[in-house]
Amino acid sequence: MCQENEKKCEGILSVENESEVMEASEGIKKIAVVGAGTIGTSWATLFAAKGYKVNLHDIKKEYLEQAFQTVEKNLKLLKENGLVNENITSTLNRIFLTTDLSLAVKDADYVQESVCERFEVKKVLFAQMDSICSEDVILASSSSGLLMSDIQKFTRNPERCIIAHPFNPPHLIPLVELVPGKKTSKNTMEVAYRFYLRVGRIPLKVKKEVPGYIANRLCAALWREAIDLVCRDVASVRDVDLAICAGPGLRWVLMGPHLIYHLGGGKGGIEEFVKHLGPAFETWWSSMSSWTSIPPLAVKKIVEGIKEEIGENSLDELYKWRDEKLLSILKTISGA
Ligand SMILES: NC(=O)c1ccc[n+]([C@@H]2O[C@H](COP(=O)([O-])OP(=O)(O)OC[C@H]3O[C@@H](n4cnc5c(N)ncnc54)[C@H](O)[C@@H]3O)[C@@H](O)[C@H]2O)c1
């Protein structure tokens, strides 16, 4: 899988010090996952399943115990779907739980920070991790939209700090957006790129840092309109969700908006599409809302609407359903 991914990405990569980059990414054996919430737990699942040793850190023992149970559940699902062969106990034995940050990061070859999305917390943590880890260890943040240029200012080795933004749950969804800060080195970008390929992810190099990077900006634009449609009583929460899942969402598994509209333009492709439907889009854009904080009435409506959409299903049931369906989709599109 890793080799296949690397092959697909040949050409995108132009590395000057190729052998150094290969050596550095191959030298990664132990990963510190700092923050054992939704994302940290999922990263720990992926890294352990791929054969790495994992130091999983959080501020409270009970969070770690909860995370460990979730990793076990995740691994069971991966095993049931033939994605891991090893027995689960052996995989779990590679995970070391600790509330001591120093113990978590001091012998790690790579750090995947996954604490809450608060700049004040991340900047202190990066300063601490930077002072403990040896200088060649990459410090990657799972942040959903913060800028690494702001965080790395608090480190003495800013060149080894990078954003590696996953999509939830990262042990299933392959995208990882790599976003450098102003002081991130090219080498850090390349080693991180190779590393995520090695764990079967699809890393993407963002050229310029912007809040929310690529995918979350696109999601944010869509979500504002989805909320607005509910708020203006155009449709229910359930129907707005259905309008995505039963329609464009099915194409989005295969293609992004540009390629979709290229195919929608007939023989003239995207150029024809712009000529033909561009004016219609302009009318829609001009009728759309541009608020930048969610109206309180909208919050009330979407909270009520989601209750209606999920009915009696518990969160645990929904997670299980989501992960099983995601696995089927991933199997289908990878042709496995
Ligand atoms: N949830 C998502 O859908 C999603 C998707 C992609 C990226 N992210 C990003 O991943 C990161 C983690 O998000 P999450 O959803 O897992 O959050 P979460 O709240 O589920 O988990 C965060 C964990 O970090 C721990 N923590 C807080 N401060 C800490 C510290 N100083 N040291 C160690 N642990 C600490 C908390 O106890 C908690 O267990 C955020 O930056 C978020 O933006 C989230």
Side-chain angles (χ1 to χ4, degrees), residues 34-41 57-60 63 101 113-118 121-122 125 128 141-146 165-168 216:
V34 177
T38 307
I39 294 301
T41 301
H57 166 73
D58 208 304
I59 46 180
K60 287 196 181 164
Y63 298 161
L101 178 68
E113 172 274 311
S114 302
V115 307
C116 50
E117 186 74 348
R118 283 180 45 212
V121 176
K122 294 208 196 264
L125 190 58
Q128 288 172 325
S141 173
S142 301
S143 173
S144 299
L146 297 172
H165 171 236
F167 257 71
N168 187 35
N216 271 342

PDB file of all heavy atoms in Angstrom, residues 34-41 57-60 63 101 113-118 121-122 125 128 141-146 165-168 216, ligand 1:
ATOM      1  N   VAL A  34       0.269  13.322  21.292  1.00  0.00           N
ATOM      2  CA  VAL A  34       0.041  14.170  22.470  1.00  0.00           C
ATOM      3  C   VAL A  34      -1.383  14.712  22.412  1.00  0.00           C
ATOM      4  O   VAL A  34      -1.723  15.491  21.521  1.00  0.00           O
ATOM      5  CB  VAL A  34       1.091  15.304  22.505  1.00  0.00           C
ATOM      6  CG1 VAL A  34       0.823  16.243  23.681  1.00  0.00           C
ATOM      7  CG2 VAL A  34       2.487  14.713  22.608  1.00  0.00           C
ATOM      8  N   GLY A  35      -2.218  14.253  23.354  1.00  0.00           N
ATOM      9  CA  GLY A  35      -3.657  14.567  23.328  1.00  0.00           C
ATOM     10  C   GLY A  35      -4.386  13.315  22.870  1.00  0.00           C
ATOM     11  O   GLY A  35      -4.205  12.877  21.725  1.00  0.00           O
ATOM     12  N   ALA A  36      -5.182  12.727  23.795  1.00  0.00           N
ATOM     13  CA  ALA A  36      -5.824  11.441  23.480  1.00  0.00           C
ATOM     14  C   ALA A  36      -7.336  11.591  23.383  1.00  0.00           C
ATOM     15  O   ALA A  36      -8.096  10.792  23.914  1.00  0.00           O
ATOM     16  CB  ALA A  36      -5.448  10.406  24.532  1.00  0.00           C
ATOM     17  N   GLY A  37      -7.778  12.642  22.686  1.00  0.00           N
ATOM     18  CA  GLY A  37      -9.216  12.827  22.446  1.00  0.00           C
ATOM     19  C   GLY A  37      -9.614  12.135  21.158  1.00  0.00           C
ATOM     20  O   GLY A  37      -9.023  11.117  20.762  1.00  0.00           O
ATOM     21  N   THR A  38     -10.589  12.713  20.471  1.00  0.00           N
ATOM     22  CA  THR A  38     -11.121  12.121  19.241  1.00  0.00           C
ATOM     23  C   THR A  38     -10.009  11.820  18.237  1.00  0.00           C
ATOM     24  O   THR A  38      -9.898  10.704  17.707  1.00  0.00           O
ATOM     25  CB  THR A  38     -12.132  13.107  18.599  1.00  0.00           C
ATOM     26  OG1 THR A  38     -13.096  13.449  19.593  1.00  0.00           O
ATOM     27  CG2 THR A  38     -12.809  12.525  17.388  1.00  0.00           C
ATOM     28  N   ILE A  39      -9.185  12.823  17.972  1.00  0.00           N
ATOM     29  CA  ILE A  39      -8.188  12.683  16.908  1.00  0.00           C
ATOM     30  C   ILE A  39      -6.961  11.897  17.371  1.00  0.00           C
ATOM     31  O   ILE A  39      -6.478  11.003  16.666  1.00  0.00           O
ATOM     32  CB  ILE A  39      -7.799  14.091  16.386  1.00  0.00           C
ATOM     33  CG1 ILE A  39      -9.010  14.736  15.708  1.00  0.00           C
ATOM     34  CG2 ILE A  39      -6.612  14.039  15.427  1.00  0.00           C
ATOM     35  CD1 ILE A  39      -9.595  13.979  14.533  1.00  0.00           C
ATOM     36  N   GLY A  40      -6.469  12.200  18.577  1.00  0.00           N
ATOM     37  CA  GLY A  40      -5.295  11.489  19.087  1.00  0.00           C
ATOM     38  C   GLY A  40      -5.547   9.991  19.174  1.00  0.00           C
ATOM     39  O   GLY A  40      -4.676   9.172  18.833  1.00  0.00           O
ATOM     40  N   THR A  41      -6.754   9.616  19.587  1.00  0.00           N
ATOM     41  CA  THR A  41      -7.099   8.191  19.718  1.00  0.00           C
ATOM     42  C   THR A  41      -7.076   7.504  18.346  1.00  0.00           C
ATOM     43  O   THR A  41      -6.594   6.386  18.193  1.00  0.00           O
ATOM     44  CB  THR A  41      -8.514   8.067  20.339  1.00  0.00           C
ATOM     45  OG1 THR A  41      -8.482   8.721  21.597  1.00  0.00           O
ATOM     46  CG2 THR A  41      -8.933   6.648  20.523  1.00  0.00           C
ATOM     47  N   HIS A  57      -0.221  10.343  25.107  1.00  0.00           N
ATOM     48  CA  HIS A  57      -0.187  11.224  26.278  1.00  0.00           C
ATOM     49  C   HIS A  57      -1.472  12.045  26.412  1.00  0.00           C
ATOM     50  O   HIS A  57      -2.028  12.519  25.416  1.00  0.00           O
ATOM     51  CB  HIS A  57       1.001  12.190  26.142  1.00  0.00           C
ATOM     52  CG  HIS A  57       0.958  13.347  27.095  1.00  0.00           C
ATOM     53  ND1 HIS A  57       1.210  13.217  28.446  1.00  0.00           N
ATOM     54  CD2 HIS A  57       0.666  14.651  26.892  1.00  0.00           C
ATOM     55  CE1 HIS A  57       1.082  14.396  29.032  1.00  0.00           C
ATOM     56  NE2 HIS A  57       0.745  15.291  28.114  1.00  0.00           N
ATOM     57  N   ASP A  58      -1.934  12.213  27.652  1.00  0.00           N
ATOM     58  CA  ASP A  58      -3.001  13.180  27.941  1.00  0.00           C
ATOM     59  C   ASP A  58      -2.799  13.656  29.369  1.00  0.00           C
ATOM     60  O   ASP A  58      -1.937  13.144  30.089  1.00  0.00           O
ATOM     61  CB  ASP A  58      -4.399  12.561  27.714  1.00  0.00           C
ATOM     62  CG  ASP A  58      -5.433  13.629  27.333  1.00  0.00           C
ATOM     63  OD1 ASP A  58      -5.606  14.598  28.097  1.00  0.00           O
ATOM     64  OD2 ASP A  58      -6.061  13.512  26.265  1.00  0.00           O
ATOM     65  N   ILE A  59      -3.626  14.638  29.756  1.00  0.00           N
ATOM     66  CA  ILE A  59      -3.387  15.228  31.079  1.00  0.00           C
ATOM     67  C   ILE A  59      -3.993  14.395  32.219  1.00  0.00           C
ATOM     68  O   ILE A  59      -3.617  14.569  33.366  1.00  0.00           O
ATOM     69  CB  ILE A  59      -3.914  16.688  31.127  1.00  0.00           C
ATOM     70  CG1 ILE A  59      -5.320  16.763  30.513  1.00  0.00           C
ATOM     71  CG2 ILE A  59      -2.973  17.632  30.416  1.00  0.00           C
ATOM     72  CD1 ILE A  59      -5.939  18.155  30.513  1.00  0.00           C
ATOM     73  N   LYS A  60      -4.941  13.508  31.900  1.00  0.00           N
ATOM     74  CA  LYS A  60      -5.558  12.703  32.958  1.00  0.00           C
ATOM     75  C   LYS A  60      -5.557  11.223  32.604  1.00  0.00           C
ATOM     76  O   LYS A  60      -5.794  10.864  31.438  1.00  0.00           O
ATOM     77  CB  LYS A  60      -7.013  13.152  33.187  1.00  0.00           C
ATOM     78  CG  LYS A  60      -7.119  14.479  33.886  1.00  0.00           C
ATOM     79  CD  LYS A  60      -8.520  14.691  34.424  1.00  0.00           C
ATOM     80  CE  LYS A  60      -8.590  16.043  35.108  1.00  0.00           C
ATOM     81  NZ  LYS A  60      -9.954  16.480  35.316  1.00  0.00           N
ATOM     82  N   TYR A  63      -8.656   9.824  30.878  1.00  0.00           N
ATOM     83  CA  TYR A  63      -8.780  10.086  29.433  1.00  0.00           C
ATOM     84  C   TYR A  63      -8.001   9.030  28.639  1.00  0.00           C
ATOM     85  O   TYR A  63      -8.418   8.593  27.569  1.00  0.00           O
ATOM     86  CB  TYR A  63      -8.255  11.479  29.065  1.00  0.00           C
ATOM     87  CG  TYR A  63      -8.986  12.638  29.709  1.00  0.00           C
ATOM     88  CD1 TYR A  63      -8.394  13.890  29.793  1.00  0.00           C
ATOM     89  CD2 TYR A  63     -10.273  12.496  30.234  1.00  0.00           C
ATOM     90  CE1 TYR A  63      -9.061  14.974  30.378  1.00  0.00           C
ATOM     91  CE2 TYR A  63     -10.934  13.559  30.831  1.00  0.00           C
ATOM     92  CZ  TYR A  63     -10.316  14.795  30.906  1.00  0.00           C
ATOM     93  OH  TYR A  63     -10.958  15.846  31.497  1.00  0.00           O
ATOM     94  N   LEU A 101       4.403  14.377  30.026  1.00  0.00           N
ATOM     95  CA  LEU A 101       4.759  14.834  28.671  1.00  0.00           C
ATOM     96  C   LEU A 101       6.197  14.466  28.317  1.00  0.00           C
ATOM     97  O   LEU A 101       6.482  14.014  27.210  1.00  0.00           O
ATOM     98  CB  LEU A 101       4.552  16.358  28.551  1.00  0.00           C
ATOM     99  CG  LEU A 101       4.938  16.948  27.198  1.00  0.00           C
ATOM    100  CD1 LEU A 101       3.993  16.474  26.093  1.00  0.00           C
ATOM    101  CD2 LEU A 101       4.967  18.474  27.238  1.00  0.00           C
ATOM    102  N   GLU A 113       0.943  16.114  17.564  1.00  0.00           N
ATOM    103  CA  GLU A 113       0.204  16.843  18.613  1.00  0.00           C
ATOM    104  C   GLU A 113      -1.271  16.879  18.244  1.00  0.00           C
ATOM    105  O   GLU A 113      -1.630  17.216  17.105  1.00  0.00           O
ATOM    106  CB  GLU A 113       0.801  18.260  18.750  1.00  0.00           C
ATOM    107  CG  GLU A 113       0.027  19.194  19.650  1.00  0.00           C
ATOM    108  CD  GLU A 113      -1.099  19.906  18.922  1.00  0.00           C
ATOM    109  OE1 GLU A 113      -0.852  20.465  17.822  1.00  0.00           O
ATOM    110  OE2 GLU A 113      -2.234  19.875  19.435  1.00  0.00           O
ATOM    111  N   SER A 114      -2.138  16.543  19.196  1.00  0.00           N
ATOM    112  CA  SER A 114      -3.581  16.492  18.924  1.00  0.00           C
ATOM    113  C   SER A 114      -4.371  16.982  20.131  1.00  0.00           C
ATOM    114  O   SER A 114      -5.365  16.360  20.523  1.00  0.00           O
ATOM    115  CB  SER A 114      -3.997  15.054  18.588  1.00  0.00           C
ATOM    116  OG  SER A 114      -3.278  14.580  17.481  1.00  0.00           O
ATOM    117  N   VAL A 115      -3.923  18.079  20.737  1.00  0.00           N
ATOM    118  CA  VAL A 115      -4.683  18.633  21.875  1.00  0.00           C
ATOM    119  C   VAL A 115      -5.723  19.610  21.340  1.00  0.00           C
ATOM    120  O   VAL A 115      -5.788  19.877  20.139  1.00  0.00           O
ATOM    121  CB  VAL A 115      -3.758  19.312  22.925  1.00  0.00           C
ATOM    122  CG1 VAL A 115      -2.660  18.359  23.366  1.00  0.00           C
ATOM    123  CG2 VAL A 115      -3.175  20.613  22.430  1.00  0.00           C
ATOM    124  N   CYS A 116      -6.532  20.147  22.258  1.00  0.00           N
ATOM    125  CA  CYS A 116      -7.661  20.991  21.844  1.00  0.00           C
ATOM    126  C   CYS A 116      -7.212  22.172  20.959  1.00  0.00           C
ATOM    127  O   CYS A 116      -6.068  22.620  21.034  1.00  0.00           O
ATOM    128  CB  CYS A 116      -8.402  21.511  23.079  1.00  0.00           C
ATOM    129  SG  CYS A 116      -7.283  22.248  24.274  1.00  0.00           S
ATOM    130  N   GLU A 117      -8.138  22.657  20.152  1.00  0.00           N
ATOM    131  CA  GLU A 117      -7.835  23.692  19.145  1.00  0.00           C
ATOM    132  C   GLU A 117      -7.754  25.072  19.801  1.00  0.00           C
ATOM    133  O   GLU A 117      -8.590  25.948  19.531  1.00  0.00           O
ATOM    134  CB  GLU A 117      -8.907  23.644  18.044  1.00  0.00           C
ATOM    135  CG  GLU A 117      -8.673  24.559  16.858  1.00  0.00           C
ATOM    136  CD  GLU A 117      -7.581  24.078  15.909  1.00  0.00           C
ATOM    137  OE1 GLU A 117      -6.829  23.158  16.246  1.00  0.00           O
ATOM    138  OE2 GLU A 117      -7.486  24.658  14.814  1.00  0.00           O
ATOM    139  N   ARG A 118      -6.771  25.246  20.692  1.00  0.00           N
ATOM    140  CA  ARG A 118      -6.610  26.565  21.314  1.00  0.00           C
ATOM    141  C   ARG A 118      -5.158  27.006  21.189  1.00  0.00           C
ATOM    142  O   ARG A 118      -4.236  26.339  21.668  1.00  0.00           O
ATOM    143  CB  ARG A 118      -7.045  26.517  22.785  1.00  0.00           C
ATOM    144  CG  ARG A 118      -8.582  26.517  22.886  1.00  0.00           C
ATOM    145  CD  ARG A 118      -9.072  26.478  24.298  1.00  0.00           C
ATOM    146  NE  ARG A 118      -8.361  27.397  25.173  1.00  0.00           N
ATOM    147  CZ  ARG A 118      -8.141  27.171  26.463  1.00  0.00           C
ATOM    148  NH1 ARG A 118      -8.571  26.074  27.019  1.00  0.00           N
ATOM    149  NH2 ARG A 118      -7.498  28.056  27.186  1.00  0.00           N
ATOM    150  N   VAL A 121      -2.947  27.053  24.242  1.00  0.00           N
ATOM    151  CA  VAL A 121      -2.503  25.740  24.728  1.00  0.00           C
ATOM    152  C   VAL A 121      -1.397  25.196  23.818  1.00  0.00           C
ATOM    153  O   VAL A 121      -0.359  24.721  24.271  1.00  0.00           O
ATOM    154  CB  VAL A 121      -3.702  24.752  24.780  1.00  0.00           C
ATOM    155  CG1 VAL A 121      -3.252  23.356  25.191  1.00  0.00           C
ATOM    156  CG2 VAL A 121      -4.777  25.266  25.734  1.00  0.00           C
ATOM    157  N   LYS A 122      -1.613  25.319  22.518  1.00  0.00           N
ATOM    158  CA  LYS A 122      -0.648  24.736  21.576  1.00  0.00           C
ATOM    159  C   LYS A 122       0.709  25.449  21.646  1.00  0.00           C
ATOM    160  O   LYS A 122       1.749  24.819  21.557  1.00  0.00           O
ATOM    161  CB  LYS A 122      -1.200  24.772  20.143  1.00  0.00           C
ATOM    162  CG  LYS A 122      -2.440  23.872  19.958  1.00  0.00           C
ATOM    163  CD  LYS A 122      -2.575  23.376  18.545  1.00  0.00           C
ATOM    164  CE  LYS A 122      -3.948  22.815  18.232  1.00  0.00           C
ATOM    165  NZ  LYS A 122      -4.093  21.370  18.350  1.00  0.00           N
ATOM    166  N   LEU A 125       2.588  24.192  24.642  1.00  0.00           N
ATOM    167  CA  LEU A 125       2.957  22.794  24.429  1.00  0.00           C
ATOM    168  C   LEU A 125       4.120  22.669  23.433  1.00  0.00           C
ATOM    169  O   LEU A 125       5.070  21.905  23.652  1.00  0.00           O
ATOM    170  CB  LEU A 125       1.723  22.051  23.907  1.00  0.00           C
ATOM    171  CG  LEU A 125       1.813  20.550  23.829  1.00  0.00           C
ATOM    172  CD1 LEU A 125       2.120  19.946  25.193  1.00  0.00           C
ATOM    173  CD2 LEU A 125       0.488  19.993  23.303  1.00  0.00           C
ATOM    174  N   GLN A 128       7.288  23.532  25.110  1.00  0.00           N
ATOM    175  CA  GLN A 128       7.731  22.454  26.009  1.00  0.00           C
ATOM    176  C   GLN A 128       8.316  21.285  25.206  1.00  0.00           C
ATOM    177  O   GLN A 128       9.402  20.805  25.503  1.00  0.00           O
ATOM    178  CB  GLN A 128       6.543  21.926  26.822  1.00  0.00           C
ATOM    179  CG  GLN A 128       6.061  22.886  27.900  1.00  0.00           C
ATOM    180  CD  GLN A 128       4.754  22.379  28.536  1.00  0.00           C
ATOM    181  OE1 GLN A 128       3.906  21.784  27.872  1.00  0.00           O
ATOM    182  NE2 GLN A 128       4.606  22.620  29.822  1.00  0.00           N
ATOM    183  N   SER A 141       1.445  19.231  14.104  1.00  0.00           N
ATOM    184  CA  SER A 141       0.200  19.558  14.798  1.00  0.00           C
ATOM    185  C   SER A 141      -0.998  19.132  13.956  1.00  0.00           C
ATOM    186  O   SER A 141      -1.036  19.388  12.746  1.00  0.00           O
ATOM    187  CB  SER A 141       0.117  21.067  15.047  1.00  0.00           C
ATOM    188  OG  SER A 141      -1.162  21.384  15.560  1.00  0.00           O
ATOM    189  N   SER A 142      -2.000  18.554  14.629  1.00  0.00           N
ATOM    190  CA  SER A 142      -3.239  18.158  13.937  1.00  0.00           C
ATOM    191  C   SER A 142      -4.201  19.328  13.781  1.00  0.00           C
ATOM    192  O   SER A 142      -5.337  19.139  13.314  1.00  0.00           O
ATOM    193  CB  SER A 142      -3.975  17.064  14.721  1.00  0.00           C
ATOM    194  OG  SER A 142      -3.183  15.945  14.880  1.00  0.00           O
ATOM    195  N   SER A 143      -3.782  20.513  14.159  1.00  0.00           N
ATOM    196  CA  SER A 143      -4.688  21.677  14.164  1.00  0.00           C
ATOM    197  C   SER A 143      -5.596  21.724  12.930  1.00  0.00           C
ATOM    198  O   SER A 143      -5.181  21.417  11.818  1.00  0.00           O
ATOM    199  CB  SER A 143      -3.868  22.968  14.227  1.00  0.00           C
ATOM    200  OG  SER A 143      -4.746  24.071  14.075  1.00  0.00           O
ATOM    201  N   SER A 144      -6.823  22.170  13.154  1.00  0.00           N
ATOM    202  CA  SER A 144      -7.800  22.243  12.058  1.00  0.00           C
ATOM    203  C   SER A 144      -7.678  23.534  11.263  1.00  0.00           C
ATOM    204  O   SER A 144      -8.317  23.661  10.207  1.00  0.00           O
ATOM    205  CB  SER A 144      -9.220  22.182  12.616  1.00  0.00           C
ATOM    206  OG  SER A 144      -9.432  20.990  13.279  1.00  0.00           O
ATOM    207  N   GLY A 145      -6.926  24.502  11.794  1.00  0.00           N
ATOM    208  CA  GLY A 145      -6.898  25.750  11.034  1.00  0.00           C
ATOM    209  C   GLY A 145      -5.931  26.802  11.529  1.00  0.00           C
ATOM    210  O   GLY A 145      -5.805  27.856  10.910  1.00  0.00           O
ATOM    211  N   LEU A 146      -5.219  26.521  12.648  1.00  0.00           N
ATOM    212  CA  LEU A 146      -4.271  27.525  13.154  1.00  0.00           C
ATOM    213  C   LEU A 146      -3.054  27.599  12.232  1.00  0.00           C
ATOM    214  O   LEU A 146      -2.772  26.662  11.490  1.00  0.00           O
ATOM    215  CB  LEU A 146      -3.815  27.138  14.570  1.00  0.00           C
ATOM    216  CG  LEU A 146      -4.908  27.111  15.639  1.00  0.00           C
ATOM    217  CD1 LEU A 146      -4.376  26.527  16.946  1.00  0.00           C
ATOM    218  CD2 LEU A 146      -5.465  28.511  15.885  1.00  0.00           C
ATOM    219  N   HIS A 165      -2.681  18.193   9.157  1.00  0.00           N
ATOM    220  CA  HIS A 165      -4.110  18.197   9.499  1.00  0.00           C
ATOM    221  C   HIS A 165      -4.833  16.998   8.896  1.00  0.00           C
ATOM    222  O   HIS A 165      -4.918  16.862   7.669  1.00  0.00           O
ATOM    223  CB  HIS A 165      -4.748  19.511   9.001  1.00  0.00           C
ATOM    224  CG  HIS A 165      -6.240  19.502   9.129  1.00  0.00           C
ATOM    225  ND1 HIS A 165      -7.079  19.721   8.067  1.00  0.00           N
ATOM    226  CD2 HIS A 165      -7.039  19.257  10.193  1.00  0.00           C
ATOM    227  CE1 HIS A 165      -8.339  19.627   8.487  1.00  0.00           C
ATOM    228  NE2 HIS A 165      -8.337  19.351   9.763  1.00  0.00           N
ATOM    229  N   PRO A 166      -5.379  16.135   9.785  1.00  0.00           N
ATOM    230  CA  PRO A 166      -6.096  14.953   9.283  1.00  0.00           C
ATOM    231  C   PRO A 166      -7.576  15.245   9.154  1.00  0.00           C
ATOM    232  O   PRO A 166      -8.049  16.337   9.500  1.00  0.00           O
ATOM    233  CB  PRO A 166      -5.889  13.966  10.426  1.00  0.00           C
ATOM    234  CG  PRO A 166      -5.965  14.839  11.657  1.00  0.00           C
ATOM    235  CD  PRO A 166      -5.372  16.181  11.267  1.00  0.00           C
ATOM    236  N   PHE A 167      -8.304  14.252   8.684  1.00  0.00           N
ATOM    237  CA  PHE A 167      -9.768  14.325   8.702  1.00  0.00           C
ATOM    238  C   PHE A 167     -10.294  13.214   9.594  1.00  0.00           C
ATOM    239  O   PHE A 167      -9.764  12.110   9.593  1.00  0.00           O
ATOM    240  CB  PHE A 167     -10.322  14.267   7.265  1.00  0.00           C
ATOM    241  CG  PHE A 167     -10.719  15.634   6.830  1.00  0.00           C
ATOM    242  CD1 PHE A 167      -9.749  16.582   6.574  1.00  0.00           C
ATOM    243  CD2 PHE A 167     -12.051  16.011   6.789  1.00  0.00           C
ATOM    244  CE1 PHE A 167     -10.098  17.883   6.263  1.00  0.00           C
ATOM    245  CE2 PHE A 167     -12.410  17.304   6.478  1.00  0.00           C
ATOM    246  CZ  PHE A 167     -11.441  18.245   6.212  1.00  0.00           C
ATOM    247  N   ASN A 168     -11.291  13.535  10.344  1.00  0.00           N
ATOM    248  CA  ASN A 168     -11.810  12.602  11.340  1.00  0.00           C
ATOM    249  C   ASN A 168     -12.608  11.464  10.694  1.00  0.00           C
ATOM    250  O   ASN A 168     -13.523  11.753   9.918  1.00  0.00           O
ATOM    251  CB  ASN A 168     -12.712  13.372  12.315  1.00  0.00           C
ATOM    252  CG  ASN A 168     -13.155  12.524  13.484  1.00  0.00           C
ATOM    253  OD1 ASN A 168     -12.407  11.683  13.956  1.00  0.00           O
ATOM    254  ND2 ASN A 168     -14.377  12.725  13.931  1.00  0.00           N
ATOM    255  N   ASN A 216     -10.947  22.430   5.156  1.00  0.00           N
ATOM    256  CA  ASN A 216     -11.865  23.043   6.123  1.00  0.00           C
ATOM    257  C   ASN A 216     -12.445  24.363   5.624  1.00  0.00           C
ATOM    258  O   ASN A 216     -13.554  24.740   5.996  1.00  0.00           O
ATOM    259  CB  ASN A 216     -11.185  23.234   7.480  1.00  0.00           C
ATOM    260  CG  ASN A 216     -11.360  22.004   8.348  1.00  0.00           C
ATOM    261  OD1 ASN A 216     -12.235  21.173   8.089  1.00  0.00           O
ATOM    262  ND2 ASN A 216     -10.545  21.881   9.375  1.00  0.00           N
TER     263      ASN A 216
HETATM  264  N1  LIG B   1     -12.500  16.501  15.871  1.00  0.00           N
HETATM  265  C1  LIG B   1     -12.269  16.674  14.587  1.00  0.00           C
HETATM  266  O1  LIG B   1     -13.122  16.432  13.727  1.00  0.00           O
HETATM  267  C2  LIG B   1     -10.911  17.140  14.117  1.00  0.00           C
HETATM  268  C3  LIG B   1     -10.516  16.869  12.797  1.00  0.00           C
HETATM  269  C4  LIG B   1      -9.216  17.228  12.389  1.00  0.00           C
HETATM  270  C5  LIG B   1      -8.363  17.882  13.266  1.00  0.00           C
HETATM  271  N2  LIG B   1      -8.789  18.170  14.529  1.00  0.00           N
HETATM  272  C6  LIG B   1      -7.842  18.848  15.412  1.00  0.00           C
HETATM  273  O2  LIG B   1      -7.224  17.874  16.245  1.00  0.00           O
HETATM  274  C7  LIG B   1      -6.925  18.454  17.516  1.00  0.00           C
HETATM  275  C8  LIG B   1      -7.614  17.638  18.604  1.00  0.00           C
HETATM  276  O3  LIG B   1      -9.015  17.705  18.402  1.00  0.00           O
HETATM  277  P1  LIG B   1     -10.005  16.662  19.098  1.00  0.00           P
HETATM  278  O4  LIG B   1     -11.285  16.775  18.375  1.00  0.00           O
HETATM  279  O5  LIG B   1      -9.339  15.329  19.216  1.00  0.00           O
HETATM  280  O6  LIG B   1     -10.150  17.295  20.536  1.00  0.00           O
HETATM  281  P2  LIG B   1     -10.637  16.587  21.866  1.00  0.00           P
HETATM  282  O7  LIG B   1     -11.183  17.650  22.727  1.00  0.00           O
HETATM  283  O8  LIG B   1     -11.454  15.384  21.569  1.00  0.00           O
HETATM  284  O9  LIG B   1      -9.268  16.043  22.500  1.00  0.00           O
HETATM  285  C9  LIG B   1      -8.255  16.891  22.934  1.00  0.00           C
HETATM  286  C10 LIG B   1      -7.492  16.151  24.031  1.00  0.00           C
HETATM  287  O10 LIG B   1      -6.346  16.910  24.362  1.00  0.00           O
HETATM  288  C11 LIG B   1      -6.158  16.833  25.766  1.00  0.00           C
HETATM  289  N3  LIG B   1      -5.334  17.972  26.176  1.00  0.00           N
HETATM  290  C12 LIG B   1      -5.694  19.254  26.331  1.00  0.00           C
HETATM  291  N4  LIG B   1      -4.614  19.980  26.699  1.00  0.00           N
HETATM  292  C13 LIG B   1      -3.562  19.134  26.737  1.00  0.00           C
HETATM  293  C14 LIG B   1      -2.182  19.276  27.026  1.00  0.00           C
HETATM  294  N5  LIG B   1      -1.670  20.455  27.335  1.00  0.00           N
HETATM  295  N6  LIG B   1      -1.403  18.191  26.966  1.00  0.00           N
HETATM  296  C15 LIG B   1      -1.921  16.986  26.659  1.00  0.00           C
HETATM  297  N7  LIG B   1      -3.217  16.776  26.364  1.00  0.00           N
HETATM  298  C16 LIG B   1      -4.019  17.845  26.407  1.00  0.00           C
HETATM  299  C17 LIG B   1      -7.569  16.858  26.341  1.00  0.00           C
HETATM  300  O11 LIG B   1      -7.579  16.332  27.659  1.00  0.00           O
HETATM  301  C18 LIG B   1      -8.310  15.987  25.338  1.00  0.00           C
HETATM  302  O12 LIG B   1      -8.318  14.626  25.715  1.00  0.00           O
HETATM  303  C19 LIG B   1      -7.404  19.904  17.447  1.00  0.00           C
HETATM  304  O13 LIG B   1      -6.348  20.728  17.084  1.00  0.00           O
HETATM  305  C20 LIG B   1      -8.454  19.854  16.357  1.00  0.00           C
HETATM  306  O14 LIG B   1      -8.648  21.091  15.704  1.00  0.00           O
HETATM  307  C21 LIG B   1     -10.027  17.801  14.987  1.00  0.00           C
END
